[in-house]
Amino acid sequence: MIPRRLKKSPAQHFRYAFRTNDIYEMPKTTEVEKKFREELELDYQKIKNKIQNFYQASFNVVKPEKSIRNDLFIASVGLFAYGQLNVAEDILDNIPEGKSSLNHLAGVLNELLPLPRDYNPRDNPNAIKEWLRVKRSRLKWDESLERYVLDNFRILSNLPTQVNFKNFTVREQQKLSENLILEILPDDGSNWYASFQSGYSEFSGVYQHPNRIDLIIISNGQGYIVNPESQQLLETFGGEITEAIELLDSYALLFQDLHGFMSYNETGFLWRNQELSWSSIRQLKVKRNLLIGEYKRSIETDWEPFWLNVKTGEIHLEQYDPLKDFRQSRQRNETPWWKIW
């Protein structure tokens, strides 16, 4: 077997992070994955039983040995990355103290849960526990994304009969059947219904706002930001949106329309760039905080490369060169020696 680094999803990374041969290609068959998970579940249960027996013998006055708690922490990280939400508290309760090489594995909670950005497992574990208590019934494991998602809305084909609903519009109302209809599921269980007036494209979708509190709804190109708890409309935007790209690791959402790109992060609207029209762009892909693709200057010209900095909205009409980008970034951050005082 040839050793090589693989591009894994965050969940895959955490499932294999504590295996000594992480640089080798791991088998991808369903049977191997199933066996690995079964082994983890058995190990987890054995460790839990060992800790329970220890507490019973010591009358809950002494903590188990550090090595046992580390074993529980590691097994819990692996199972959490397989979609077992019930082990989250075991991760929070057993994060290794000090400068342990295992500490970084606690980041599985930030990587795979839709937590607000400032929720850190080491700094505020109790805040995460409370967040889990409130959100647990709405958290679902998405097999395709290999992440936990908040299941706090449903898209409906039509409004149920004899229900009250809120009607969100940006201009003189069209026919109700042209609108996007949602059932919204807040934390307190008081579900409510809403109709969102359509815009001028064929694209619709519902997204968690990067602030991890509000919802962003795109109804045939028209954007709305709504608080699911208060039922309040916070903002409208767009009208001709044709696509959305979620950058979960950067807490950002990119939207495209016929005029270019716009971005929202956890603070709200971030930037808008109109240098490229959406109709002349193709082969988009996200790489860290970059959007990379190809564009056409006109119908007669060939496709050319471009890349965009998601944080700033700055577009570079060239092939992305990571070494050049790194050097320029360092130059921007360097302070001339005569300015150090």
Side-chain angles (χ1 to χ4, degrees), residues 199-245:
Y200 301 103
S201 82
E202 297 182 356
F203 177 74
S204 295
V206 185
Y207 306 90
Q208 304 296 330
H209 193 291
N211 65 19
R212 306 294 170 84
I213 297 172
D214 304 315
L215 288 174
I216 297 183
I217 297 98
I218 310 299
S219 175
N220 289 103
Q222 178 61 53
Y224 302 82
I225 301 179
V226 171
N227 184 295
E229 308 298 325
S230 68
Q231 305 184 19
Q232 182 180 2
L233 175 64
L234 304 177
E235 184 181 340
T236 60
F237 65 96
E240 299 177 309
I241 294 170
T242 56
E243 190 56 83
I245 301 174

Side-chain angles (χ1 to χ4, degrees), residues 145-185:
L145 297 175
E146 290 199 299
R147 292 177 184 267
Y148 299 88
V149 297
L150 271 177
D151 184 24
N152 59 350
F153 67 87
R154 296 191 185 98
I155 298 177
L156 306 178
S157 57
N158 49 61
L159 279 166
T161 57
Q162 297 181 340
V163 298
N164 295 322
F165 68 96
K166 295 183 74 71
N167 192 21
F168 296 103
T169 64
V170 291
R171 57 192 167 276
E172 186 177 345
Q173 178 68 316
Q174 302 169 338
K175 295 179 181 179
L176 196 60
S177 60
E178 298 175 357
N179 297 352
L180 181 67
I181 299 170
L182 298 182
E183 179 184 8
I184 298 177
L185 320 171

